[in-house]
Amino acid sequence: MFSKTSQNVRNDRIEGRWRTLFLVMTALLILPVVIILTLLIIRGGPAITWEFISGFPIKGMTQGGIFPALMGTIFLVSLGLVFSVPLGIAAAIYLSEYASDNKLTRIINLAIINLAGVPSIVHALFGLGAFVLFMEFGTSILAASLTLAIMALPVVIVATKESLEAVPYAFREACWSLGATKWQTIRKIVLPNAVSGILTGVILEVSRTAGETAPIMFTGAAFFLPFLPESVYDQTMALSLHLFVVATQVPNVPESLPYGVALLLIMLVLLMNALSIGFRVRFRSKKKW
Amino acid sequence: MGKLPIPEPQIMWRVALVDNSKNENPFGEVISMEHHIDDPSNDSTPKNAVETTDLSLWYGSFQALFNVNFKVKQGLVTSLIGPSGCGKSTLLRSVNRINERFGYVRTEGQVHVLGQDIYAPTVDKTQVRSQIGMVFQRPNPLPVTIRKNILFGYHLKNPGRVAASVEDELVEKSLREVLLWDDLKDKLNHSALSLSLEQQQKLCIARLLPVKPKVILMDEPCSALDPEATAAIEDLIWDLRGEYTILIVTHNMAQARRASDECAFMLMGKMVEHGKTEDIFVTPDHQQTADYIEGKFG
């Protein structure tokens, strides 16, 4: 009564085929990551020394370190955060806690999601037009950071909104029923419980903007500038652009140099991601709902 | 051009206005204020703690309440029964104006709590909500410590620094009142979410007490609890009776019968019948009430 029929045999065979297909697809997905990382570590690993990280590029960028580019990336990303994080979090709080659910709100939400999909080169041209030319910041750290901030904004908003909405509605109701205003509810209960999610989103966004090249190329990143910027109106080097330059624009570069830059960039990004995962794990273990 | 003739306000004129409005008492507010000031203890008939007058409510274009006239007597436990979607929760939630969080709610008619119109323009919503406590269907302690849960409402009303001894006293008194003190006195700084559901629900009642509410609304407070916890909460409700006016929505007919002085039956957004619990359950006036109580529909 319970033995295999020919129908069962056929089902098992089909089941096996699909399973294999999905497995192969997953392997194909992981393979490039593994190959890229291995290649970078083998070829670029030897280039990474303390002199490489802390030194200035010399001899037409064919030798020396990448310190100004590393610092430039850090400046650009942190100044970008200063603009995008407060603005993004405030907008997200308004949209998810205050705005009533009407047509306008839905259009705004849709626009924000679409903004996240705008190609970075378009952001770059917008930054060039708006910040460099119209607002007359010139090609500068300020203009480049603002461009990165505009790019990061929709992601910050979406991440913040999602983590705010993940805080159970019952907590808000409990607060209101005790006579709390909306802001008291947000400050005392909603934000403290959403902060881990917001932080995770922000850090992931940092890792993404750190690698962006197009938006900063037109607005503030310099091809070669062997000293550190003195103000936000100066240009700066940046890791991502530096990688592009040494890989394609400069002759006679030793092979290990671009790999080294790439490895450093990836390590920066992975460090950020690890940090964000760490936060998430830490905060999630505290939650009890 | 001469001055515009502005009528001088005269006593006669006001009287004339009053006469035009027939059955409306222009001093109704004042009279009911006195009503409220009266000491309830030296009056044998209980006063109305909550009174709705022709209350209608719409969610967008859907009308959830139809001209509900309902009086809840002070110091008693009144239960609201009726099938799902009959509007009993909506009625409950318009008594502390918590349903207004949806932008599309529209209310007509009046709700007086202890003689004051809580929908009057001068009324502050947060005042209404802090003085009319609410207990929800699912226990919803805040994700902070037990102690902070109890003091949450108190700190909202008293924003300055509060002496630790005052806080300690409030916490102990509130927890004693809901019979949790002996169980919880050694773990006041534990997360409220670590408690059992029964304890959580009791805590949710306890945290209302420091702000001294007059009326406590309960929206199916036992439906997430097992029978023993339900019995414990019912006992607690019975203990709080007298000092607080309690309005409780329930699906559980037996609970309404056990744990309420008065009972009101609602159907399709209308108040069908309201009276003493034993009368409603033994000799209901309406056939619909009888049918619902017998379980012919639900």
Side-chain angles (χ1 to χ4, degrees):
Chain A
M1 188 166 95
F2 297 123
S3 58
K4 253 186 206 308
T5 65
S6 60
Q7 179 69 42
N8 293 136
V9 172
R10 200 158 58 235
N11 282 350
D12 285 352
R13 203 165 54 227
I14 294 170
E15 180 76 25
R17 276 184 204 151
W18 281 107
R19 196 192 133 91
T20 315
L21 180 75
F22 294 136
L23 182 70
V24 169
M25 290 299 178
T26 311
L28 282 180
L29 189 80
I30 297 168
L31 207 59
V33 180
V34 174
I35 293 175
I36 290 173
L37 277 181
T38 325
L39 207 65
L40 280 180
I41 290 168
I42 292 173
R43 300 219 177 147
I48 300 212
T49 57
W50 179 242
E51 288 72 38
F52 181 72
I53 293 171
S54 65
F56 284 73
I58 46 173
K59 297 200 177 144
M61 287 185 276
T62 57
Q63 283 175 36
I66 44 92
F67 185 61
L70 179 63
M71 290 314 288
T73 292
I74 292 172
F75 289 150
L76 286 174
V77 170
S78 17
L79 193 59
L81 282 187
V82 169
F83 296 120
S84 62
V85 169
L87 203 65
I89 292 180
I93 288 178
Y94 181 79
L95 285 171
S96 70
E97 303 291 324
Y98 287 96
S100 53
D101 183 24
N102 55 28
K103 214 172 213 166
L104 183 68
T105 315
R106 262 171 279 169
I107 290 174
I108 291 174
N109 281 327
L110 198 65
I112 289 167
I113 292 168
N114 280 325
L115 204 61
V118 171
S120 58
I121 188 72
V122 176
H123 281 291
L125 292 173
F126 171 78
L128 178 65
F131 303 124
V132 177
L133 302 175
F134 181 73
M135 295 173 86
E136 298 180 347
F137 293 148
T139 47
S140 60
I141 294 182
L142 184 60
S145 302
L146 282 168
T147 312
L148 285 179
I150 296 274
M151 241 187 68
L153 210 48
V155 183
V156 173
I157 294 177
V158 171
T160 307
K161 268 183 57 166
E162 275 170 7
S163 27
L164 290 176
E165 278 152 22
V167 177
Y169 199 77
F171 294 161
R172 291 178 179 80
E173 262 187 344
C175 277
W176 297 335
S177 72
L178 289 167
T181 61
K182 275 202 167 168
W183 171 237
Q184 285 169 331
T185 307
I186 294 166
R187 187 167 52 90
K188 293 191 176 199
I189 297 298
V190 180
L191 270 185
N193 286 290
V195 77
S196 62
I198 297 173
L199 220 53
T200 308
V202 167
I203 296 172
L204 281 179
E205 188 48 26
V206 167
S207 69
R208 203 174 70 99
T209 45
E212 281 295 342
T213 317
I216 56 173
M217 198 153 91
F218 298 157
T219 52
F223 191 84
F224 178 57
L225 202 70
F227 45 81
L228 291 179
E230 284 175 351
S231 83
V232 291
Y233 294 104
D234 289 345
Q235 292 190 40
T236 180
M237 293 182 78
L239 273 184
S240 54
L241 185 64
H242 188 63
L243 175 58
F244 169 71
V245 170
V246 293
T248 63
Q249 309 290 307
V250 183
N252 303 323
V253 174
E255 200 203 34
S256 68
L257 184 63
Y259 282 104
V261 178
L263 184 59
L264 200 66
L265 190 55
I266 279 216
M267 273 161 51
L268 203 66
V269 168
L270 286 185
L271 185 75
M272 289 293 176
N273 288 3
L275 209 62
S276 106
I277 292 167
F279 269 124
R280 200 188 297 224
V281 171
R282 205 180 112 82
F283 280 102
R284 189 167 292 168
S285 65
K286 278 189 181 173
K287 281 186 188 171
K288 292 233 171 58
W289 68 81
Chain B
M1 277 274 251
K3 274 166 93 181
L4 280 171
I6 300 165
E8 292 281 314
Q10 286 171 350
I11 305 287
M12 287 305 289
W13 187 52
R14 270 188 67 179
V15 170
L17 264 178
V18 169
D19 282 345
N20 283 346
S21 59
K22 288 278 182 277
N23 47 10
E24 282 287 325
N25 183 347
F27 307 112
E29 189 72 13
V30 179
I31 287 170
S32 49
M33 282 292 287
E34 285 166 355
H35 200 81
H36 158 50
I37 291 161
D38 277 349
D39 188 358
S41 55
N42 49 17
D43 201 324
S44 55
T45 51
K47 304 263 164 53
N48 295 329
V50 179
E51 182 168 356
T52 72
T53 319
D54 286 330
L55 181 70
S56 295
L57 186 144
W58 289 261
Y59 292 115
S61 59
F62 173 75
Q63 186 167 4
L65 294 179
F66 296 83
N67 299 317
V68 173
N69 288 296
F70 181 43
K71 289 173 183 154
V72 180
K73 294 198 181 70
Q74 198 164 327
L76 298 187
V77 179
T78 304
S79 61
L80 267 172
I81 58 169
S84 298
C86 71
K88 55 194 193 301
S89 281
T90 299
L91 177 60
L92 191 80
R93 280 157 177 262
S94 28
V95 178
N96 71 345
R97 296 181 63 175
I98 202 159
N99 52 12
E100 280 172 49
R101 63 176 190 274
F102 302 119
Y104 52 89
V105 170
R106 191 160 59 84
T107 314
E108 270 178 21
Q110 288 171 323
V111 180
H112 284 81
V113 175
L114 300 167
Q116 301 203 30
D117 181 3
I118 59 160
Y119 282 84
T122 52
V123 162
D124 184 85
K125 253 187 292 191
T126 62
Q127 283 290 348
V128 170
R129 288 179 192 155
S130 66
Q131 291 177 47
I132 302 170
M134 183 146 196
V135 179
F136 294 82
Q137 189 165 1
R138 261 204 84 76
N140 59 352
L142 294 166
V144 290
T145 63
I146 292 164
R147 187 186 163 88
K148 281 184 181 165
N149 258 284
I150 293 171
L151 295 170
F152 193 86
Y154 185 79
H155 282 309
L156 289 173
K157 289 198 96 175
N158 307 277
R161 277 182 67 88
V162 181
S165 58
V166 176
E167 291 187 352
D168 292 342
E169 201 177 315
L170 278 172
V171 171
E172 180 172 347
K173 198 163 160 254
S174 306
L175 282 179
R176 277 197 192 283
E177 205 150 352
V178 298
L179 312 171
L180 276 182
W181 177 250
D182 293 332
D183 291 340
L184 300 188
K185 64 184 173 201
D186 296 324
K187 41 180 182 177
L188 295 176
N189 290 321
H190 288 217
S191 167
L193 300 178
S194 64
L195 300 176
S196 72
L197 280 178
E198 177 191 334
Q199 289 174 325
Q200 287 188 10
Q201 196 64 304
K202 283 181 172 174
L203 180 66
C204 288
I205 297 171
R207 75 176 169 198
L208 302 173
L209 307 181
V211 289
K212 301 193 179 66
K214 311 287 185 298
V215 178
I216 299 180
L217 309 172
M218 300 190 176
D219 192 357
E220 304 198 33
C222 301
S223 68
L225 306 180
D226 61 47
E228 266 179 55
T230 301
I233 298 286
E234 281 174 11
D235 284 347
L236 178 58
I237 291 172
W238 212 241
D239 282 348
L240 295 173
R241 179 182 171 273
E243 193 172 347
Y244 305 94
T245 305
I246 294 171
L247 181 57
I248 173 171
V249 161
T250 179
H251 250 111
N252 181 337
M253 221 77 65
Q255 180 174 63
R257 194 166 189 170
R258 280 193 302 265
S260 70
D261 298 293
E262 295 207 343
C263 182
F265 173 62
M266 286 183 75
L267 189 61
M268 314 273 283
K270 293 180 179 125
M271 181 63 65
V272 176
E273 194 168 345
H274 175 199
K276 287 209 168 75
T277 301
E278 59 261 34
D279 295 344
I280 294 272
F281 277 89
V282 179
T283 52
D285 287 342
H286 293 259
Q287 189 56 43
Q288 288 163 324
T289 316
D291 288 350
Y292 180 72
I293 288 167
E294 281 171 33
K296 284 191 184 161
F297 69 98

